[in-house]
């Protein structure tokens, strides 16, 4: 359980308030009974009807000592921690006979040195409903506290009364000063009570309370502001919502879009976290703005807005957000991260998000300015989640930069990142976004993210952002500014969000896409990432939710044709193409085929979930195994804008399914790891041969076999980079790489003349006729292709539907002379063949000598980095190295009798040497 000690007396550095938690006695001591009362309004416990328990701890250094009652779920044995509900959202509990006793026996030897306890309230069954972390500091000697006012943010009209009440822990002379003028005195007392009449007409006033017990003085203070009319004034030219930097590094203009609101203040580091009248913002229609000056160039300032005197929000357009989870970000990921200011802490968890401004920032210098996006026909997307791509402490953009070569060698030419915009917590898939303009710091700085994008572009790789625009999560500012904290839902008047989601499978808070406010907001987000970060496109999560047609529970009705949804998505695409005409736009739509066809015609790419069909085929189960829907042509589309996939972050792993549900016959079992890997090779051969853009979910190329449900669907999954060192799994990686290379290299894999056969039978065929079709191709550009896979678990004599007779070359085996069509070929279980009618592998090694003749020596073998080649009788002129399947991976001169192969991956290769006496080949093993 992570602990944040949010002090009961917190908001301003020298002000004491007991807004959420009260104690009896007012000045608690660890060796006395202690009654704690907590108001849970605004937390997930609000309006909760079940039992509520206290979960409490003592912090000793880096170790938390838990109370013996900290058991989850709570039972009758933990009744000592059960709270009493005294009002609709108020609970109390008494730690009796003393607070010290509550921790025994876990905290033995406890004495009066217990100065503070941490706690939260939670539902008995789990931590799903709870308060934020709170604390109580025990009185140590003479102390002073403020009882009234109870609100930390005080706004008064001229002539209004202000009740001021303070308590001392022992008799003292107590005075109250307003703007340094004494207005009340109480001698030799433990309390003072005074009603002050506000005489000021404007500005901010400071109240100081001092208590002197004869030997020491304690003081507390607070500020109140006089309400004044908002100044209406047009914003300066060029000012947009968010942080506007100027040529003057000591100056900034802030602008906040706040529909339906009457007033706004900015406060932060530059006001010592006090809300002051001098920082009230001017109003320009629905926008509030203010100019700040006298800033230190290059210094970071945290800040928030106070809207309508009660709503604390960060800037929705801020590109950096501070929150309490920052403390868990390693310095290797984000060095010198500004700490969350203690003066800004709130007991309301949703108020603990702060914006950061910084003038005089050095602009990022892009090194790649002429990047050309891959064509949609050649697009091979590698989808990844940074969190699960690297081990703990390594989840950052720098490690991703260092891994680009791995993805490039695989053949992918686009990386799709699961959402990286500021999301709740650190451990997340990212589909709970809160601030759409701020890269989440858990993965690194904004400039490091730009560096990653620049590095991808250098390598010819596009970057696609997965982006959640169906929903947003608290504390998104546009939620908070018009939100019902009793029902914890948006108000009906909210300009951006629906009170209830209009469709099934919604998570968090549903956006109203027919609202012009939402449209402007989303258009700005799209423009920002495409231009400021130079990303190449988006994958829009749950795009089927971009609708106001109300089908909250009927999945079928929601998925049916929706003309209004088409119009909304086309509108957004039109706006994007104004500034980024070649942006890659992918929809996770999964809806009515007619609707998807129309969207495809407008240039969208659409996800096509073929996970179940490929998994059924791979596991040897015929039911639901038809693969034809993987093609745009089968769907009746006019263009190849379908991104069909075998795996995605939302689906179970194919390798896991093979090992759990694979069939067997005799000694052949798909549940055998190596057999299961071969089945993935078979499936990938068929998959990548189908024309159209493709997608790989991270580690699918290594046969990742941990279930999506392991530890919970969205939980962190074990990182299995060691699979890359496994020969059979590395062979799968190489197989993916080869098939992807073929797909991108030859036009036949872009043809629109596609025929599937096999249906739900487990022997699958794919016929690709080039355009224009010829049965006598004279080049690879004219060739045709035929793919066949036996997904059965037994041998099959397969009648293959070749397009014509003649010689066909099996990329993975020997050629055949087809004398009639169909032509029967025997296939072993899991065997796959990819035929072309033009020979595309002239460099295929058809035989390998086990040993070279005596006068050529090659060592060491196995080899790590440098291969030595020596010959006394022959001159070695050049060499080629091929993968075991015959793909050339290295070619060059033999310099000073050696070859540097440190860049090659571990695995088995074939060395081809040309010498003055002939050509020789030998197998080598690269470690």
């Amino acid at each position: 359980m992570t602990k944040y000690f949010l002090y009961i007396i917190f908001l301003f550095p020298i002000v004491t308030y007991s807004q959420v938690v009260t104690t009896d006695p007012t000045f608690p001591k660890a060796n006395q009974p202690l009654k704690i009362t907590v108001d849970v309004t605004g937390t997930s416990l609000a309006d909760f009807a079940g039992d509520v328990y206290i979960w409490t701890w003592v912090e000793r250094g880096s170790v938390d000592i838990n109370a013996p009652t900290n058991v989850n779920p709570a039972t009758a044995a933990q009744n000592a921690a059960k709270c009493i509900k005294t009002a609709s959202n108020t609970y109390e509990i008494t730690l009796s006979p003393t607070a010290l006793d509550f921790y025994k026996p876990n905290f033995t030897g406890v004495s009066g040195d217990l100065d503070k306890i941490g706690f939260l309230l939670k539902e008995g069954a789990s931590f799903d409903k709870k308060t934020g972390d709170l604390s109580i500091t025990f009185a140590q000697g003479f102390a002073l506290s403020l009882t009234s006012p109870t609100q930390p943010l005080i706004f008064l009209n001229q002539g209004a009364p202000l009740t001021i009440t303070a308590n001392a822990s022992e008799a003292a002379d107590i005075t109250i000063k307003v703007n340094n003028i004494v207005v009340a005195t109480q001698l030799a007392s433990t309390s003072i009570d005074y009603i002050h009449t506000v005489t000021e007409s404007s500005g901010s006033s400071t109240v100081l309370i001092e208590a002197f017990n004869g030997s020491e003085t304690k003081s507390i203070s607070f500020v109140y502001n006089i309400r004044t009319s908002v100044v209406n004034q047009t914003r300066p030219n060029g000012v947009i919502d968010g942080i506007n930097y100027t040529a003057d590094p000591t100056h900034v203009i802030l602008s906040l879009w706040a529909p339906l609101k009457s007033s706004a203040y900015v406060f932060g580091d530059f006001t010592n976290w006090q809300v002051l009248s001098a920082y009230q913002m001017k109003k320009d229609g629905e926008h509030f703005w203010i100019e700040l000056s006298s800033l230190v160039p290059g210094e970071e300032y945290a800040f928030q807005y106070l809207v309508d005197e009660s709503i604390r929000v960060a800037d929705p357009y801020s590109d950096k957000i501070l929150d309490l989870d920052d403390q868990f970000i390693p310095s290797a990921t984000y060095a010198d991260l500004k700490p969350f200011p203690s003066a800004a802490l709130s007991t309301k968890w949703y108020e603990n998000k702060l914006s950061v401004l910084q003038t005089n920032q050095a602009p990022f210098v892009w090194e790649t300015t002429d990047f050309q996006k891959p064509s949609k026909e050649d697009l091979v997307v590698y989808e990844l989640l940074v969190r699960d791509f690297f081990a703990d402490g390594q989840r950052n953009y720098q490690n991703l930069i260092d891994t680009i070569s791995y993805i490039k060698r695989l053949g992918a030419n686009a990386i799709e990142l699961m959402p990286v915009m500021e999301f709740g917590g650190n451990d997340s898939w990212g589909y709970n976004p809160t601030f759409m303009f701020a890269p989440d710091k858990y993965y690194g700085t904004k400039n490091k993210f730009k560096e990653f994008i620049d590095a991808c572009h250098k390598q010819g790789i596009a970057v696609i952002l997965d982006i959640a625009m169906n929903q947003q999560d608290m504390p998104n500012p546009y939620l908070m500014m018009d939100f019902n904290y009793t029902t914890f839902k948006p108000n009906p008047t909210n300009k951006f969000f629906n009170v209830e989601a209009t469709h099934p499978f919604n998570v968090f808070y549903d956006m109203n896409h027919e609202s012009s406010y939402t449209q402007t907001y989303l258009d700005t987000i799209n423009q920002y990432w495409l231009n400021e970060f130079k990303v190449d496109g988006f994958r829009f999560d749950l795009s089927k939710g971009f609708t106001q047609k109300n089908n909250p529970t009927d999945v079928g009705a929601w998925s049916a044709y929706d003309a209004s949804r088409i119009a909304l998505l086309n509108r957004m695409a039109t706006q994007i193409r104004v500034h980024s005409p070649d942006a890659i736009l992918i929809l996770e739509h999964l809806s009515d085929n007619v609707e998807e066809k129309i969207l495809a015609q407008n240039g969208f790419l659409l996800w096509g979930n073929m996970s179940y069909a490929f998994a059924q085929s791979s596991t040897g189960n015929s039911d639901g195994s038809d693969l034809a829907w993987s093609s745009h042509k089968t769907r009746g589309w006019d263009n190849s804008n379908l991104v069909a996939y075998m795996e995605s972050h939302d689906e179970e792993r194919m390798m896991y399914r093979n090992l759990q549900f694979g069939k067997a016959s005799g000694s052949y079992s798909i549940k055998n790891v190596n057999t299961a890997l071969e089945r993935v090779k078979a499936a990938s051969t068929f998959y990548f041969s189908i024309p159209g853009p493709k997608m790989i979910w991270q580690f699918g190329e290594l046969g990742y076999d941990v279930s999506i449900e392991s530890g919970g669907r969205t939980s962190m999954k074990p990182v299995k980079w060691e699979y890359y060192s496994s020969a059979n799994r590395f062979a799968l990686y190489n197989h993916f790489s080869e098939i992807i290379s073929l797909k991108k290299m030859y036009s036949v894999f872009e043809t629109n003349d596609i025929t599937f056969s096999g249906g739900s039978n487990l022997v699958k065929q794919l016929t690709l006729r080039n355009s224009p079709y010829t049965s006598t191709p004279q080049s690879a550009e004219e060739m045709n292709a035929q793919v066949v896979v036996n997904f059965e678990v037994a041998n099959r004599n397969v009648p293959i539907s070749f397009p014509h007779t003649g010689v066909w070359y099996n990329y993975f085996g020997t050629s055949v002379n087809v004398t009639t069509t169909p032509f029967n070929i025997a296939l072993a279980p899991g065997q796959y063949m990819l035929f072309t009618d033009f020979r595309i592998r002239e460099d295929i090694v058809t035989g390998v000598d086990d040993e070279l003749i005596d006068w050529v020596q090659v060592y060491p073998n196995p080899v790590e980095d440098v291969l030595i080649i020596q010959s006394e009788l022959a001159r070695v002129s050049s060499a080629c190295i091929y993968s075991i399947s015959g793909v050339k991976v290295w070619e060059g001169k033999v310099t000073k009798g050696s070859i540097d192969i440190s860049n090659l991956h571990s695995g088995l290769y074939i060395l081809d040497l040309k010498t003055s006496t002939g050509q020789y080949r030998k197998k080598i093993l690269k470690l």
Side-chain angles (χ1 to χ4, degrees), residues 56-74:
T56 179
W57 61 89
V58 174
E59 191 174 76
R60 279 292 183 269
S62 60
V63 179
D64 292 332
I65 302 169
N66 288 285
T69 53
N70 285 8
V71 177
N72 193 45

Side-chain angles (χ1 to χ4, degrees), residues 86-324:
T86 59
S88 60
N89 279 323
T90 304
Y91 294 85
E92 71 176 37
I93 185 171
T94 299
L95 309 185
S96 181
T98 71
L100 297 177
D101 292 335
F102 200 74
Y103 293 91
K104 296 176 181 177
N106 290 12
F107 194 9
T108 58
V110 175
S111 61
D113 66 349
L114 183 61
D115 58 354
K116 182 172 61 177
I117 60 172
F119 71 97
L120 57 82
L121 301 191
K122 61 177 284 292
E123 62 174 312
S126 69
F127 285 95
D128 290 343
K129 296 183 183 299
K130 61 182 178 65
T131 67
D133 292 356
L134 304 165
S135 73
I136 291 173
T137 300
F138 294 110
Q140 305 290 331
F142 183 43
L144 179 67
S145 71
L146 185 70
T147 304
S148 179
T150 59
Q151 296 298 320
L153 304 171
I154 304 167
F155 294 87
L156 300 168
N157 296 321
Q158 186 179 19
L162 173 62
T163 299
I164 305 170
T165 304
N167 295 283
S169 60
E170 58 187 71
D173 295 340
I174 309 173
T175 60
I176 298 176
K177 297 178 182 178
V178 177
N179 294 328
N180 290 323
I181 298 174
V182 176
V183 295
T185 301
Q186 190 72 45
L187 301 177
S189 177
T190 58
S191 65
I192 190 169
D193 193 350
Y194 168 69
I195 298 178
H196 175 66
T197 300
V198 175
T199 59
E200 301 88 351
S201 60
S202 63
S204 303
S205 294
T206 301
V207 176
L208 175 66
I209 306 166
E210 294 180 319
F212 177 63
N213 69 350
S215 60
E216 60 179 314
T217 300
K218 297 292 184 180
S219 64
I220 53 178
S221 70
F222 64 89
V223 171
Y224 64 85
N225 294 286
I226 311 305
R227 290 190 181 95
T228 55
S229 299
V230 175
V231 175
N232 289 283
Q233 184 175 328
T234 303
R235 293 178 294 176
N237 289 335
V239 169
I240 60 176
D241 290 311
I243 304 168
N244 295 260
Y245 297 108
T246 68
D248 181 353
T250 68
H251 179 265
V252 72
I253 300 176
L254 303 177
S255 178
L256 174 68
W257 189 21
L260 304 179
K261 300 307 173 186
S262 301
S263 69
Y265 296 77
V266 66
F267 65 110
D269 290 337
F270 40 80
T271 69
N272 291 321
W273 290 96
Q274 293 182 345
V275 176
L276 302 174
S277 294
Y279 287 83
Q280 183 172 5
M281 304 174 77
K282 299 173 183 177
K283 197 172 190 293
D284 178 9
E286 294 182 328
H287 307 267
F288 295 88
W289 66 280
I290 191 172
E291 295 186 60
L292 301 181
S293 58
S294 301
L295 301 173
V296 177
E299 183 172 329
E300 287 191 318
Y301 294 88
F303 70 95
Q304 285 183 312
Y305 299 113
L306 180 68
V307 180
D308 281 1
E309 301 181 359
S310 62
I311 305 168
R312 287 179 57 180
V313 296
D315 192 312
Y317 295 89
S318 177
D319 65 2
K320 182 174 180 178
I321 297 293
L322 300 183
D323 60 48
L324 296 175

Side-chain angles (χ1 to χ4, degrees), residues 620-637:
N621 293 280
S622 60
D623 182 41
S625 69
D626 192 346
L627 304 178
W629 204 243
S630 301
S631 170
H632 72 281
K633 183 180 179 183
T634 307
R635 301 186 182 208
W637 298 9

Side-chain angles (χ1 to χ4, degrees), residues 598-660:
I598 294 171
L599 291 167
Q601 288 172 333
N602 195 43
F604 284 107
L605 305 183
L606 292 105
W607 261 26
N609 186 356
M610 294 301 298
S611 174
Y612 183 75
F614 274 98
Q616 287 294 92
S617 298
S618 184
T619 56
N621 293 280
S622 60
D623 182 41
S625 69
D626 192 346
L627 304 178
W629 204 243
S630 301
S631 170
H632 72 281
K633 183 180 179 183
T634 307
R635 301 186 182 208
W637 298 9
D638 299 328
N639 44 28
S640 58
N641 284 18
L642 177 67
V643 187
Y645 52 86
M646 298 191 296
E647 291 183 329
S648 78
H649 69 269
D650 271 330
E651 304 299 332
E652 186 58 272
R653 292 286 192 168
M654 179 184 294
M655 188 65 178
Y656 174 82
R657 283 169 160 158
N658 282 349
L659 297 175
Q660 295 297 316

Side-chain angles (χ1 to χ4, degrees), residues 365-595:
V365 179
W366 295 91
E367 296 185 13
T368 306
T369 57
D370 57 352
F371 176 68
Q372 298 295 314
K373 299 176 180 63
S375 67
K376 68 179 181 182
E377 291 82 6
D378 289 338
L379 191 64
V380 179
V381 179
Y382 192 88
E383 184 194 19
L384 68 86
L385 171 60
V386 180
R387 185 199 70 180
D388 290 351
F389 207 51
F390 302 107
D392 188 26
Q394 301 173 347
R395 301 180 175 108
N396 57 52
Y397 294 125
Q398 183 57 58
N399 281 320
L400 202 52
I401 291 170
D402 297 339
T403 314
I404 291 173
S405 58
Y406 169 89
I407 297 171
K408 182 178 175 64
R409 286 193 299 268
L410 181 63
N413 51 23
I415 295 175
E416 178 187 309
L417 295 177
M418 287 173 67
V420 300
M421 301 82 183
E422 179 74 24
F423 45 77
N426 290 334
D427 179 1
S428 175
W429 270 10
Y431 296 108
N432 55 332
T434 54
F435 291 84
M436 296 299 290
F437 296 83
D440 197 288
K441 303 180 302 303
Y442 186 54
Y443 300 139
T445 68
K446 64 180 180 182
N447 278 355
K448 184 59 71 171
F449 184 40
K450 290 180 179 180
E451 184 182 337
F452 160 72
I453 295 168
D454 203 26
C456 284
H457 288 171
K458 288 178 188 178
Q459 296 295 319
I461 296 174
V463 177
I464 299 169
L465 288 190
D466 195 342
I467 191 167
M469 287 182 164
N470 170 78
Q471 75 277 346
Q472 306 276 279
D473 194 12
M474 283 287 278
N476 177 281
Y478 290 126
L479 273 168
M480 293 178 67
M481 281 193 278
D482 201 0
F483 197 76
N484 186 322
Y485 287 94
T486 300
T487 62
F488 224 72
K489 294 179 180 180
N491 286 318
T493 52
N494 193 297
K495 297 288 190 180
F496 300 85
F497 293 89
N498 295 315
V499 178
E500 302 285 353
T502 63
H503 57 86
F505 295 107
N506 185 75
V507 289
F508 308 109
Y509 298 95
D510 185 40
M511 300 203 79
N512 177 359
H513 286 269
E514 288 187 355
S515 165
S516 62
Y517 291 82
T518 299
Q519 293 171 5
T520 298
Y521 177 53
L522 299 191
D523 290 345
T524 307
I525 294 167
N526 291 330
Q527 192 274 342
Y528 173 75
W529 289 100
L530 288 165
N531 290 274
E532 176 66 23
F533 284 82
K534 298 189 184 300
V535 301
D536 301 291
F538 302 106
R539 178 263 190 192
F540 293 100
D541 178 67
L542 203 64
S543 59
K544 192 163 56 180
F546 285 38
T547 180
Q548 284 299 103
K549 290 185 71 172
N550 197 31
N551 293 301
T553 59
D554 190 334
V555 177
W558 173 46
S559 302
Y561 180 85
D562 184 346
S564 66
R565 182 166 52 205
I566 295 172
L568 288 168
L569 289 166
N570 284 344
R571 184 215 66 81
M572 183 175 68
T574 298
Q575 292 300 312
I576 289 173
R577 289 168 184 149
V578 169
H579 52 80
S580 305
D582 60 347
I584 301 168
L585 306 179
I586 306 174
L587 302 179
E588 184 207 20
H589 214 58
L590 309 176
S591 71
D592 175 84
N593 187 56
V594 174
E595 181 174 332

